[in-house]
Amino acid sequence: MGALEEAHLAAAVAAACACEEEDDDLELLAGEGEAAAAAAADDAIEPAVRALLVGLGEDELREGLRRTPKRVAKAFRDGTRGYKQKVKDIVQGALFPEVGVDKKTGSAGGTGGQVVVRDIEIFSYCELCLLPFSIECHVGYVPSGGRVVGLSKLSRVADVFAKRLQNPQRLANEICGALHSSIQPAGVAVALQCWHIPLPENLECKSLQGWIRTSHSSRSGVFEGENSTFWSDFMALLKLRSIDMEMDNHSVSISWCPLRSLEVPLLNGHCKKSAANGIISPKSVPTPSNMVSAVSSMLLSLGEDIQRKELLGTPQRYVQWMMRFRACNLDVKLNGFTLNNFSVYERPGGDKADHEAIRSELHLPFCAQCEHHLLPFYGVVHIGYFDNGSGEGIDRSHFQSLVHFYGCKLQVQERMTRQIAEAVYSVSHSGAMVVVEANHICMISRGIEKIRSSTATIAVLGQFLTDPSAKACFLQNVLDTPGLAI
Amino acid sequence: MGALEEAHLAAAVAAACACEEEDDDLELLAGEGEAAAAAAADDAIEPAVRALLVGLGEDELREGLRRTPKRVAKAFRDGTRGYKQKVKDIVQGALFPEVGVDKKTGSAGGTGGQVVVRDIEIFSYCELCLLPFSIECHVGYVPSGGRVVGLSKLSRVADVFAKRLQNPQRLANEICGALHSSIQPAGVAVALQCWHIPLPENLECKSLQGWIRTSHSSRSGVFEGENSTFWSDFMALLKLRSIDMEMDNHSVSISWCPLRSLEVPLLNGHCKKSAANGIISPKSVPTPSNMVSAVSSMLLSLGEDIQRKELLGTPQRYVQWMMRFRACNLDVKLNGFTLNNFSVYERPGGDKADHEAIRSELHLPFCAQCEHHLLPFYGVVHIGYFDNGSGEGIDRSHFQSLVHFYGCKLQVQERMTRQIAEAVYSVSHSGAMVVVEANHICMISRGIEKIRSSTATIAVLGQFLTDPSAKACFLQNVLDTPGLAI
């Protein structure tokens, strides 16, 4: 550990405390008063989450799930904290005098000098299905009255409205309206690019690949009207960052939320009939009424009006999503394929240097549900195994079924990696190696918000363990094969 | 504003409160007890910041600076909060049982199945100069004893040590050591890629271009030793994300912190003799002793031992940095060029469509100091003006001097944009247009941590205001000219 200052570290590490629970991520964000109110709300949310776990066929008391209701309750509380936040508190005190120029001369500084903050990365929650969605938010305003607002406040105000149950257009409108009211500028422009996770069977391997994309904007004051030069300047300043709102602008359609899309007749071409990753799932799954009731009680605890029209089908949709990850999901179970279909392979001779015999199936997409947070993690699986010397490998679709079987449930990445490796090893006795690369929504939408982090796990069995060059050969193969960026 | 729900919004916006101060960004992060302790510390930091402002020739009471001492004190408190955080509090309760496989079979899951979280984006503070530095942190560990740790905890523990005054190698060592002690795995690997902002005169236009880069790693347990297969697996999993530690690995040299580099004889080739952006600044500037004392008192208030060897020259270095942005910086003032050197241009004829007459100087780099937070913002300036018809433009170096003059001081982006536009307009009476694109360190290292956000401001004077096609022509010119990504 090099020049580690042991004493310094020991002091930091040794100070054990009686704190029994994790998830201080979120505790940090809640004030004392809020915590008390939230505790009452949690009382209703936690039993609801337990009901969901039981409905999914899980043992709610097993170690990995024991504190899941608490974590989920905290995440929902944090994800809807925006209802309690006041825009005026944020903007007040952050308005600074800034002279401009005479209006006849032009627009600059505190009078007309447009300010645009681009690429503010935020998350919100789809009111139709309760899953988080990803947003690139771009905010512009035209100062008026010789005053400007602190730049960070544009982002903070956007987040107030993102931390609610939302749809993209209302989010754009609310950010725009709130900034206009609180800053009182000549105008406000808001442009959002939003991504919604698709149904698990439509996820492709790459980051945001296969996600449902939509763009929305909202404008007030000098940005309004077809010929607003401020609006065209706003668009031009976005284009400097390669953001082209005009190219992909379309209204919220029923295809925005894939759970909503399931309920209505498919529009021509909007929804793929067959899944992108080769796994065919049923269009809809059963939604037990006790689970639906549980989600309704969660919404009530969050202070939502469950009678407002956008939320009417939300509990069913959330249960639809969750049920796709239920234990022993017979509908997708190995897709008619069983492990017996694998041939039992023998390594040719004992030649450890014979890396021709190593076969690999790479970039097999998956979408699992993190059992700690009930949020998706998704990515790709790379599988390595030894050929039986016949030159014939196992068909890719078999591996995809295997990945789907172990992936499409409440999981943790470490366990899924091991399970897939063991399954492959059970039929390819010489050796099996699995690398899983995944993005965890819980690492993004909760607490720490590490948007670009990506987790890799590895399992190395049999020959791959004893022959480092075989392992290196497989890893090099993964590296050399395109399409791996997740 | 489209379908804006006015009533909903009005309720959120109207609820004015008596909150006088902004910067709730940071308040949110401090508990009640900490806030009290911090208030005492602030008592010493705020006067020190005021002394710095006076030393920079600023009016500490002007509106933009009035609350700067409070903001800076809060930022330093937040930036060093890691001293008070306990790793054990974070990891405890986040260890989950996870079975592995028999050691003879291989390494997977809770016994030997390596887990790597890549691309954790964090910030720390250079102990040599007090400026924040940017880090891509990659953490791996090998589970042992059938238990794994919640993924987010790797990021949270890294942040505990980042939120201190640091150097990159110690940061790597401390993260590694703390994770090893608290998780008790078979081993921990930490790899950091760090970027330090250079001296203002060495900043180039693009994001991180011109920044000083260094890579560091630390390892424990099974990752140790030259032939550790776990270490080579760790490196391979990083390479899958195009992270190549071996390519740019070098030890901390004196060139890491550019303020430190100023103090010692230059090593061959390590420091550029001439500035990248054409502005030559003095190698060092005066550091008034009262300002140096003020920074020492800040460090004491933060609980630092100002006698430890790394901190011995830190107050001088911080003042060195700040003094480069002092008001009326005669050393760089227009670089011997005055505005009178501009010719007074007349537009040829009255032909508004004659966009041949529009000239532009694009991607002029700058580094300013945000007057609200005393942290750098940097980027590029694009200038448009009308030619006098002779076909001869103003030399680029004159514009660069102009940008440097208005940029290299305590500023806000809106004002700088207006000032540059007015200066150009004063000599090119037909019209002037300025677009500034900047990254604000205060948007990254403080509170909201919107790492990729980029702010654009625009000033439109004279002919560019009345002739939208002239403005559009200039903006298109900016868009069409490469090298703009910031």
Side-chain angles (χ1 to χ4, degrees):
Chain A
M1 288 169 46
L4 177 62
E5 294 181 14
E6 294 284 357
H8 186 190
L9 256 182
V13 172
C17 95
C19 164
E20 203 187 344
E21 286 298 333
E22 63 148 338
D23 275 350
D24 30 6
D25 294 3
L26 295 173
E27 288 294 13
L28 284 172
L29 294 167
E32 298 254 340
E34 278 186 44
D42 288 354
D43 286 347
I45 298 176
E46 291 186 34
V49 177
R50 279 195 289 274
L52 287 176
L53 292 175
V54 171
L56 289 172
E58 297 284 349
D59 171 11
E60 51 159 329
L61 297 177
R62 72 176 167 88
E63 186 60 27
L65 295 177
R66 197 168 58 81
R67 291 194 301 271
T68 295
K70 192 175 183 70
R71 283 184 212 104
V72 174
K74 281 184 175 177
F76 271 117
R77 184 183 71 197
D78 184 54
T80 55
R81 66 170 187 259
Y83 290 118
K84 293 174 188 158
Q85 292 174 316
K86 304 279 183 291
V87 170
K88 212 131 194 167
D89 298 358
I90 293 167
V91 172
Q92 192 164 302
L95 290 169
F96 299 96
E98 195 55 52
V99 300
V101 294
D102 182 82
K103 278 199 174 177
K104 286 177 193 161
T105 307
S107 52
T111 55
Q114 183 169 170
V115 177
V116 180
V117 179
R118 305 165 296 188
D119 292 320
I120 301 166
E121 295 175 326
I122 52 179
F123 272 80
S124 187
Y125 292 81
C126 175
E127 65 186 2
L128 297 174
C129 68
L130 303 185
L131 289 172
F133 63 93
S134 174
I135 303 153
E136 292 269 330
C137 174
H138 319 289
V139 178
Y141 80 102
V142 174
S144 171
R147 56 183 200 167
V148 299
V149 70
L151 297 173
S152 69
K153 306 308 168 191
L154 301 175
S155 169
R156 297 248 308 134
V157 169
D159 202 54
V160 164
F161 295 95
K163 290 292 175 291
R164 300 175 180 205
L165 304 187
Q166 279 289 7
N167 78 51
Q169 184 60 53
R170 191 171 68 241
L171 178 57
N173 293 342
E174 290 184 351
I175 297 169
C176 181
L179 287 174
H180 196 94
S181 303
S182 57
I183 303 175
Q184 301 190 326
V188 175
V190 174
L192 306 181
Q193 298 169 290
C194 305
W195 287 264
H196 193 304
I197 195 165
L199 294 176
E201 58 268 28
N202 291 332
L203 257 180
E204 296 170 32
C205 57
K206 284 191 184 179
S207 175
L208 298 182
Q209 194 174 311
W211 285 47
I212 298 144
R213 178 176 173 170
T214 184
S215 298
H216 297 275
S217 60
S218 184
R219 29 178 154 171
S220 70
V222 295
F223 289 99
E224 290 184 297
E226 268 193 37
N227 301 317
S228 164
T229 58
F230 287 100
W231 179 258
S232 53
D233 292 353
F234 177 62
M235 287 290 134
L237 293 178
L238 296 190
K239 277 184 188 161
L240 292 182
R241 293 275 285 189
S242 304
I243 303 154
D244 194 339
M245 294 296 292
E246 284 148 15
M247 267 189 62
D248 57 11
N249 204 11
H250 58 82
S251 61
V252 182
S253 69
I254 54 145
S255 63
W256 162 244
C257 174
L259 281 309
R260 175 71 182 275
S261 303
L262 283 178
E263 298 166 3
V264 295
L266 298 178
L267 294 184
N268 44 346
H270 259 304
C271 296
K272 292 177 192 166
K273 296 271 179 186
S274 65
N277 59 16
I279 302 296
I280 308 296
S281 278
K283 284 292 172 201
S284 65
V285 294
T287 53
S289 61
N290 66 321
M291 293 173 76
V292 173
S293 303
V295 179
S296 293
S297 72
M298 282 169 51
L299 289 175
L300 280 170
S301 291
L302 291 171
E304 290 286 346
D305 170 12
I306 60 173
Q307 295 304 317
R308 76 170 164 100
K309 70 176 192 304
E310 297 86 355
L311 294 180
L312 278 180
T314 299
Q316 283 86 348
R317 288 181 213 110
Y318 186 62
V319 174
Q320 268 278 335
W321 171 267
M322 294 306 302
M323 286 297 277
R324 283 162 190 264
F325 301 94
R326 71 191 181 281
C328 299
N329 187 339
L330 291 173
D331 294 323
V332 295
K333 186 178 180 179
L334 291 184
N335 199 20
F337 164 80
T338 69
L339 288 179
N340 296 331
N341 286 15
F342 285 107
S343 308
V344 175
Y345 288 164
E346 299 289 339
R347 291 221 56 218
D351 183 7
K352 290 189 179 182
D354 182 12
H355 297 146
E356 297 302 312
I358 298 171
R359 298 188 71 98
S360 46
E361 283 295 339
L362 308 178
H363 303 290
L364 298 154
F366 77 95
C367 178
Q369 192 82 346
C370 165
E371 71 178 28
H372 298 155
H373 305 100
L374 297 190
L375 283 170
F377 65 97
Y378 62 95
V380 291
V381 178
H382 312 293
I383 296 174
Y385 63 103
F386 284 96
D387 199 337
N388 64 356
S390 72
E392 287 178 30
I394 300 165
D395 191 74
R396 181 175 173 90
S397 67
H398 292 167
F399 286 110
Q400 184 64 68
S401 297
L402 188 71
V403 166
H404 195 67
F405 177 67
Y406 287 112
C408 203
K409 56 180 65 169
L410 301 197
Q411 264 288 17
V412 297
Q413 185 174 335
E414 295 90 334
R415 186 187 314 144
M416 173 182 151
T417 308
R418 173 184 58 80
Q419 287 174 335
I420 294 171
E422 285 179 336
V424 175
Y425 189 55
S426 73
V427 291
S428 172
H429 299 297
S430 304
M433 193 164 163
V434 172
V435 170
V436 178
E437 300 188 86
N439 296 317
H440 289 247
I441 301 279
C442 59
M443 288 281 277
I444 298 171
S445 64
R446 284 184 62 256
I448 63 165
E449 298 194 5
K450 294 300 175 192
I451 292 178
R452 275 169 186 75
S453 73
S454 161
T455 301
T457 43
I458 188 168
V460 184
L461 301 184
Q463 202 70 45
F464 285 103
L465 186 73
T466 51
D467 181 357
S469 63
K471 185 171 67 175
C473 175
F474 170 69
L475 289 171
Q476 190 63 42
N477 197 1
V478 178
L479 187 59
D480 292 343
T481 307
L484 79 176
I486 64 165
Chain B
M1 288 171 42
L4 177 63
E5 293 180 17
E6 294 285 356
H8 186 190
L9 257 184
V13 172
C17 95
C19 165
E20 203 188 342
E21 287 299 335
E22 62 149 340
D23 276 350
D24 28 11
D25 295 2
L26 296 173
E27 289 294 12
L28 283 170
L29 295 166
E32 298 254 341
E34 277 186 44
D42 289 353
D43 287 345
I45 298 176
E46 291 185 34
V49 176
R50 279 195 288 276
L52 288 175
L53 292 174
V54 171
L56 290 171
E58 298 284 348
D59 171 10
E60 53 160 330
L61 297 176
R62 73 177 168 86
E63 188 61 29
L65 294 177
R66 199 168 55 83
R67 291 195 299 273
T68 296
K70 193 176 181 71
R71 284 185 212 103
V72 173
K74 280 183 176 177
F76 271 117
R77 185 183 70 200
D78 185 54
T80 55
R81 67 172 187 257
Y83 289 117
K84 292 173 186 158
Q85 293 174 315
K86 304 279 183 290
V87 170
K88 211 128 196 169
D89 298 358
I90 293 168
V91 172
Q92 192 164 300
L95 290 169
F96 300 96
E98 194 56 52
V99 300
V101 294
D102 183 84
K103 279 201 173 178
K104 285 176 194 162
T105 307
S107 53
T111 54
Q114 183 169 171
V115 177
V116 180
V117 180
R118 304 164 297 186
D119 291 321
I120 302 167
E121 294 175 326
I122 52 177
F123 271 80
S124 188
Y125 293 82
C126 175
E127 65 185 1
L128 297 175
C129 68
L130 303 185
L131 289 171
F133 64 93
S134 174
I135 304 153
E136 294 269 330
C137 173
H138 319 289
V139 178
Y141 79 101
V142 174
S144 171
R147 58 182 199 168
V148 298
V149 70
L151 295 174
S152 68
K153 306 310 169 192
L154 301 176
S155 170
R156 297 246 311 131
V157 169
D159 202 53
V160 164
F161 295 96
K163 290 293 176 286
R164 302 176 179 202
L165 304 188
Q166 278 289 7
N167 78 53
Q169 184 60 52
R170 191 172 66 241
L171 178 57
N173 292 343
E174 289 183 350
I175 296 169
C176 181
L179 288 173
H180 196 96
S181 303
S182 56
I183 303 175
Q184 301 191 325
V188 175
V190 174
L192 306 180
Q193 298 169 290
C194 305
W195 287 264
H196 193 304
I197 196 166
L199 295 176
E201 59 267 27
N202 291 332
L203 257 179
E204 297 169 33
C205 56
K206 286 191 181 175
S207 177
L208 298 183
Q209 194 174 312
W211 285 47
I212 298 143
R213 177 174 174 172
T214 185
S215 297
H216 297 275
S217 61
S218 186
R219 28 178 154 170
S220 69
V222 294
F223 289 100
E224 291 184 295
E226 267 191 36
N227 301 317
S228 164
T229 61
F230 288 100
W231 179 257
S232 53
D233 291 354
F234 177 63
M235 286 290 132
L237 294 176
L238 297 191
K239 277 184 189 163
L240 291 182
R241 293 276 283 188
S242 304
I243 303 155
D244 194 338
M245 294 295 292
E246 284 149 15
M247 266 188 63
D248 58 11
N249 202 11
H250 58 84
S251 62
V252 180
S253 68
I254 53 148
S255 62
W256 161 246
C257 174
L259 280 309
R260 175 69 183 275
S261 303
L262 283 177
E263 298 165 3
V264 294
L266 298 178
L267 293 185
N268 44 345
H270 260 303
C271 297
K272 292 176 195 169
K273 296 272 178 182
S274 66
N277 59 15
I279 302 295
I280 308 296
S281 278
K283 284 292 172 199
S284 65
V285 293
T287 52
S289 62
N290 66 320
M291 294 172 75
V292 174
S293 303
V295 179
S296 293
S297 72
M298 283 169 52
L299 290 175
L300 280 170
S301 290
L302 291 170
E304 290 286 347
D305 170 11
I306 59 172
Q307 295 303 318
R308 76 170 164 100
K309 69 177 191 302
E310 298 86 355
L311 294 181
L312 278 180
T314 298
Q316 282 88 349
R317 287 180 212 111
Y318 187 62
V319 174
Q320 268 278 333
W321 171 267
M322 294 305 302
M323 287 295 279
R324 280 159 193 266
F325 301 94
R326 71 190 181 279
C328 301
N329 188 338
L330 292 174
D331 296 324
V332 296
K333 187 178 180 179
L334 291 183
N335 200 21
F337 164 78
T338 68
L339 289 179
N340 296 330
N341 286 14
F342 284 109
S343 308
V344 176
Y345 289 164
E346 299 290 340
R347 289 220 58 216
D351 182 9
K352 292 192 178 182
D354 182 13
H355 297 145
E356 298 300 314
I358 297 171
R359 299 187 71 98
S360 46
E361 283 296 339
L362 308 177
H363 303 290
L364 298 154
F366 77 94
C367 178
Q369 192 82 345
C370 166
E371 70 179 27
H372 298 156
H373 304 99
L374 297 191
L375 283 169
F377 66 99
Y378 62 94
V380 291
V381 178
H382 312 295
I383 295 174
Y385 63 102
F386 284 98
D387 200 335
N388 63 356
S390 72
E392 288 178 29
I394 300 166
D395 192 75
R396 181 176 174 91
S397 68
H398 293 166
F399 286 110
Q400 185 64 67
S401 296
L402 189 71
V403 165
H404 194 65
F405 177 67
Y406 286 112
C408 203
K409 56 180 65 168
L410 299 198
Q411 264 288 17
V412 298
Q413 186 173 336
E414 296 90 335
R415 187 188 312 146
M416 174 182 149
T417 309
R418 173 183 58 79
Q419 288 174 334
I420 294 171
E422 285 180 336
V424 175
Y425 189 53
S426 73
V427 291
S428 172
H429 299 295
S430 305
M433 194 164 163
V434 172
V435 170
V436 178
E437 300 188 87
N439 296 318
H440 289 246
I441 301 280
C442 60
M443 289 281 277
I444 299 171
S445 64
R446 284 185 63 256
I448 64 166
E449 297 194 4
K450 294 301 177 191
I451 290 178
R452 274 170 187 73
S453 73
S454 161
T455 301
T457 43
I458 188 167
V460 185
L461 301 184
Q463 203 69 46
F464 285 104
L465 186 73
T466 51
D467 181 358
S469 64
K471 186 171 66 176
C473 175
F474 170 69
L475 288 170
Q476 191 62 43
N477 197 359
V478 178
L479 188 58
D480 292 343
T481 307
L484 81 177
I486 65 166

